[in-house]
Amino acid sequence: QVMVEESGGGLVQPGASLRLSCAGSGRTFSTAAMAWFRQAPGKEREFVAASRSNGATYYSDSVKYRFSVSRDRAKNTMYLQMNSLKPEDTAVYYCAADFGSPISSYMRYATTYEYWGQGTQVTVSS
């Protein structure tokens, strides 16, 4: 059974850093497109960052230059390094994966991804 599971969320102060992990299981994720989405209370789920199997990365404008996505293929794991966190980054962060080789323009859409984790809460507050 293919699964992805997030970890690493927590409560941090504005300006702090946090690293989220997304561990895949059930098959090798080296060929998967993987992404991070987030959903704040009362808001729709939004794209944060994504990584293609060829190493290409994508970011939303709101996190570009603050967040960085990376992958450890040997560990079947994707990471989201979040720096200079702001209160508006508060949300449940979800990991998603798909093995269908989506084209670049589809990487930002939640409907592209077949596998989803349960989410990890990130709260940025003083």
Side-chain angles (χ1 to χ4, degrees):
Q1 182 180 4
V2 177
M3 296 177 63
V4 292
E5 182 175 9
E6 308 91 341
S7 63
L11 170 63
V12 297
Q13 294 187 338
S17 297
L18 202 60
R19 189 177 80 159
L20 304 182
S21 299
C22 171
S25 61
R27 63 177 289 182
T28 180
F29 278 66
S30 59
T31 59
M34 302 183 75
W36 291 97
F37 289 78
R38 67 187 181 186
Q39 187 166 18
K43 295 187 177 181
E44 294 187 354
R45 189 169 300 190
E46 66 172 355
F47 170 76
V48 175
S51 168
R52 294 178 62 89
S53 59
N54 64 1
T57 56
Y58 308 83
Y59 298 93
S60 69
D61 289 342
S62 63
V63 308
K64 195 183 301 183
Y65 310 124
R66 297 189 299 123
F67 290 12
S68 176
V69 63
S70 62
R71 293 168 69 163
D72 185 331
R73 301 183 191 283
K75 295 183 178 180
N76 249 15
T77 300
M78 175 178 67
Y79 303 98
L80 183 68
Q81 177 66 43
M82 305 185 293
N83 300 324
S84 302
L85 282 161
K86 305 175 180 180
E88 50 264 44
D89 294 317
T90 295
V92 177
Y93 283 70
Y94 296 92
C95 172
D98 192 83
F99 295 91
S101 299
I103 62 176
S104 299
S105 58
Y106 288 178
M107 294 289 287
R108 300 172 179 266
Y109 299 104
T111 52
T112 293
Y113 301 91
E114 181 175 0
Y115 301 99
W116 289 83
Q118 294 299 307
T120 185
Q121 176 70 46
V122 172
T123 302
V124 185
S125 175
S126 55

